[in-house]
Each structure stands twice: as C-alpha cells, then as structure tokens.
C-alpha cells in the first residue's frame, strides 16, 4: 500500500499503522508518542499526542476523515494522504494535548532522575505552551512502597499504561494495575512491597516520565554527567545485552538498550539490572551512540578532541581588527 505523509510517499505492508509508516520515513515528520510501545501488544491510543490529519482517505474513497485520528491506532489505506507537521490544526491540537498532560504533572525536573531522558520534557519543549491556564490544585497521591527496587511517584504519572502492559506480557503474573476511575485513577498495588518479579525492573525502562525510577540510582547523579557504554554477558534469564552508565570507574545503573524512539530493544532481567554493577561482570562493546539532540551528548566522550568554545568567524575577526586599529589611532 502506498501512503503519503507530509508529502513523502512510502510503500508499506497492509495493516501498518500511520505512526509506523512515518517511522519508516524518519525525520521530523514522525509524530510523538507517549503511550505507544511497539514491543507491547495493546499499547497506544491513551495519550493522543500522535494525532494526525488524514486529508485523503484512500484512492477508492478520497474523502478526508472528519476528525484528527491517533496515528498509532489507525492503519493505512492505499492512496492515503496524511498531514502531521504541515497541518496547523494538528499543531494546535497537539499543543492542547500537551497542556492537558502537564495539568497535573509536577515541576519535579530539577530533582527527578528521569530529567535529561524524559519524553514529556521533549514534548513540552517542542509543543507546549508558555504557561498553563489551569488555576486549580493539582492532583496528588500518597507515596506507597511497591518494592525494594522500584520507586513509584504516582503524582508524576500520565497513565500511559505501559508498565501495566509490560508486567502483563513479560512476567508470570501481574501484581500492579490501575485502581479507581477518572482523575482518581492510579498505578498501585493492593499489597505493598509486592512487586518482586524477575523482570519487574523493565517497568522503569518503559515509563516515559519519572513515575517509576530505579531506587539503586535514585539521587546519585544527573544522567548527562554519566557515560553510556554498551555491554553484554551470558545470562540464563534474558539476552544479557545492556547499557552501562558510568561515572568514572563506577557503574551507577544498568538499563536495557533503547532505539531512537526510546523503546527497549530487548527486555532484561533484574539480575542484570540490579545485581551486576561491576565492570568485571560484563564484556564491554564500546561507547553508546548518542543522538546530537540529546542533552547526554553534550558530555559524551566519543569526541576525543573537545569542541572549541569560541568558533572562528573570519567576518567577526576582520571587524574586530578594524575596530582595534581605529581605537589605536584615536
């Protein structure tokens, strides 16, 4: 099937969603997604940040769709034409969605361990408004202890359901879930300290915000001061392919390897994540490739020669020379 997104045509297999078709093209035309996760069945359709405009339904029925649609849930049709960043309507709607997500999200970025790799930060910077119109008290929740490895901050949660799908699909039994309804909905457990499955740590990797964080890494360092290195080991539970985050010679945390859209390539077990934090436990492959758009890249050591602080500008140098000669004569 042939689909055109923001003027870029591409041929995809039947059943492909608009979001995945845009990811095949790549670049800025890829809609943002906070709840969709390609590795998890049933994900998507919760956050509405991936809204797009279908200006042409198909070759058989060229009528546009009457409303904006979620690209992660809408499959392509042959001859379909989609507008993302080229549609002012989509940009305005996405701005409203981001404002809605930020209504109850606290300003914890200065103390949140997710800062620097938070998708909501990126979304707010690219599509958010300068200030909120919300004047009421924010939604807050009491802190509970769900386990010895994972810290839950329900006040930061945007209810993307990723952690619920992860626990449901890659663990033997799911302990936590969504309790209550409406704005009282929360990620929780009926029994405290109950989350102790061998793969429970993966809910940390799939969380797009700082609602679920690593207790062993909590408040230890900012992520942009660490050095990500890819490594692997022989593990009888998982693939053993991870990213080690170094501070000097110490491994501060271990995470699964993520692709350019922040999705884990392979889920890892808790043994690799929490118990193996020595260089001797791993076979080092080399520095992780970091996108230049990421704040982590500012302190990355792949560039052996530090970039110059002041760049050479011939025009400015000539102007400075003329100014210096003029002042010398005076």
């Amino acid at each position: 099937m042939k689909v055109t997104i923001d003027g870029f045509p591409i041929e995809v297999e039947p059943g492909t969603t608009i979001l995945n078709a845009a990811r095949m093209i790549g670049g800025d035309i890829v809609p943002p997604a906070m709840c969709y996760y390609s590795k998890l069945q049933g994900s998507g359709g919760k956050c509405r940040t991936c809204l797009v405009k279908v200006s042409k339904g198909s070759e058989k029925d060229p009528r546009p769709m009457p409303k904006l649609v979620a690209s992660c849930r809408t499959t392509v049709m042959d001859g379909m034409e989609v507008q993302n960043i080229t549609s002012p309507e989509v940009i305005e709607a996405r701005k409203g969605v981001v404002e809605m997500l930020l209504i109850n999200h606290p300003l914890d970025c200065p103390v949140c361990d997710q800062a620097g790799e938070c998708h909501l930060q990126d979304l707010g910077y690219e599509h958010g408004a300068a200030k909120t119109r919300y004047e009421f008290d924010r939604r807050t929740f009491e802190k509970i202890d769900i386990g010895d490895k994972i810290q839950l901050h329900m006040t930061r949660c945007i209810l993307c359901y990723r952690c619920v799908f992860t626990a449901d699909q890659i663990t033997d039994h799911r302990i936590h879930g969504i309790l209550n309804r409406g704005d009282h909905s929360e990620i929780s457990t009926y029994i405290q300290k109950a989350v102790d499955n061998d793969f429970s740590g993966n809910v940390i990797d799939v969380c797009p915000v700082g609602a679920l964080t690593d207790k062993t890494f909590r408040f230890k360092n900012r992520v942009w001061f660490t050095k990500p290195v890819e490594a692997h080991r022989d593990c009888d539970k998982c693939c053993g392919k991870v990213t080690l985050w170094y501070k000097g010679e110490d491994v501060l945390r271990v995470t699964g390897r993520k692709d350019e859209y922040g999705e884990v390539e392979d889920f890892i077990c808790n043994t690799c994540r929490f118990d193996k934090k020595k260089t001797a436990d791993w076979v080092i492959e080399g520095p992780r490739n970091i996108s230049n758009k990421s704040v982590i890249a500012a302190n990355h050591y792949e560039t052996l020669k530090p970039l110059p602080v002041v760049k050479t500008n011939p025009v400015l140098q000539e102007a400075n020379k003329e100014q210096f000669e003029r002042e010398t004569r005076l």
Side-chain angles (χ1 to χ4, degrees), residues 228-231 241-245 253-257 288:
V229 173
E230 291 188 347
K241 297 179 180 179
V242 302
T243 299
L244 306 178
W245 298 80
R253 69 168 179 165
V254 181
T255 64
R257 297 184 186 179
R288 179 164 179 79

Side-chain angles (χ1 to χ4, degrees), residues 312-328:
T312 303
N313 189 332
V315 178
L316 187 59
Q317 286 181 340
E318 187 64 27
N320 288 340
K321 183 180 179 181
E322 293 178 1
Q323 182 69 20
F324 178 75
E325 292 177 351
R326 184 181 302 109
E327 291 183 358
T328 302

Side-chain angles (χ1 to χ4, degrees), residues 153-254:
H153 284 276
M154 184 54 218
T155 306
R156 300 173 183 169
C157 181
I158 61 171
L159 291 176
C160 69
Y161 288 71
R162 281 183 179 180
C163 61
V164 179
F165 287 126
T166 301
D168 207 23
Q169 296 173 22
I170 72 170
T171 63
D172 296 333
H173 56 283
R174 175 166 59 88
I175 302 298
H176 73 287
I178 305 293
L179 304 183
N180 304 319
R181 294 189 178 188
D183 64 345
H184 294 286
S185 299
E186 62 175 309
I187 302 287
S188 185
T189 60
Y190 277 112
I191 304 174
Q192 294 192 8
K193 303 181 182 179
V195 180
D196 58 354
N197 192 279
D198 283 342
F199 284 81
S200 62
N202 290 288
V203 300
I204 299 171
D205 283 341
V206 302
C207 183
V209 294
L212 294 166
T213 53
D214 185 350
K215 278 188 176 181
T216 63
F217 179 67
R218 195 170 181 229
F219 302 142
K220 282 193 174 181
N221 215 299
R222 308 306 288 179
V223 69
W224 54 84
F225 292 139
T226 59
K227 312 292 186 181
V229 173
E230 291 188 347
H232 69 272
R233 63 181 289 268
D234 292 330
C235 181
D236 56 354
K237 296 180 181 179
C238 67
C239 65
K241 297 179 180 179
V242 302
T243 299
L244 306 178
W245 298 80
Y246 277 91
K247 178 66 174 181
E249 297 181 354
D250 299 326
V251 178
L252 296 186
R253 69 168 179 165
V254 181

Side-chain angles (χ1 to χ4, degrees), residues 231-301:
H232 69 272
R233 63 181 289 268
D234 292 330
C235 181
D236 56 354
K237 296 180 181 179
C238 67
C239 65
K241 297 179 180 179
V242 302
T243 299
L244 306 178
W245 298 80
Y246 277 91
K247 178 66 174 181
E249 297 181 354
D250 299 326
V251 178
L252 296 186
R253 69 168 179 165
V254 181
T255 64
R257 297 184 186 179
K258 297 183 179 181
D259 59 18
E260 58 181 317
Y261 301 109
E263 296 183 3
V264 174
E265 298 173 359
D266 291 294
F267 294 110
I268 62 174
C269 64
N270 284 3
T271 302
C272 291
R273 184 184 301 274
F274 299 119
D275 300 334
K276 302 296 181 180
K277 291 194 174 181
K278 294 182 180 179
T279 304
D281 297 328
W282 300 94
V283 177
I284 306 299
E285 299 178 10
R288 179 164 179 79
N289 204 11
I290 301 296
S291 170
N292 292 331
K293 295 182 180 179
S294 172
V295 68
I296 305 172
N299 198 38
H300 204 233
Y301 59 82

Side-chain angles (χ1 to χ4, degrees), residues 58-192:
S58 64
E59 289 292 346
K60 294 182 179 180
D61 187 1
R63 293 177 299 174
M65 291 188 178
K67 296 182 179 180
L68 302 182
V69 298
S71 60
C72 65
R73 284 287 193 171
T74 308
T75 55
V76 302
M77 300 293 290
D78 191 29
M80 176 182 283
E81 295 182 3
V82 180
Q83 292 181 343
N84 180 28
I85 58 176
T86 57
S87 171
E89 185 180 355
V90 170
I91 300 300
E92 188 64 24
R94 193 166 291 157
K95 182 179 177 181
V97 171
V98 174
E99 184 179 8
M100 181 68 183
L101 290 177
L102 292 174
I103 277 180
N104 289 307
H105 193 81
L107 189 61
D108 282 350
C109 300
V111 297
C112 181
D113 287 325
Q114 191 80 0
E117 50 186 5
C118 177
H119 296 176
L120 191 58
Q121 277 185 328
D122 300 334
L123 196 64
Y125 180 77
E126 295 174 1
H127 303 283
K131 59 181 180 179
T132 180
R133 295 172 291 176
Y134 196 71
E135 299 177 353
F136 303 96
D137 293 335
R138 293 175 182 267
R139 179 190 63 183
T140 57
F141 294 90
E142 295 292 334
K143 290 184 179 181
I144 64 170
D145 187 0
I146 64 172
D148 61 335
K149 302 294 186 182
I150 305 169
Q151 178 67 47
L152 171 64
H153 284 276
M154 184 54 218
T155 306
R156 300 173 183 169
C157 181
I158 61 171
L159 291 176
C160 69
Y161 288 71
R162 281 183 179 180
C163 61
V164 179
F165 287 126
T166 301
D168 207 23
Q169 296 173 22
I170 72 170
T171 63
D172 296 333
H173 56 283
R174 175 166 59 88
I175 302 298
H176 73 287
I178 305 293
L179 304 183
N180 304 319
R181 294 189 178 188
D183 64 345
H184 294 286
S185 299
E186 62 175 309
I187 302 287
S188 185
T189 60
Y190 277 112
I191 304 174
Q192 294 192 8

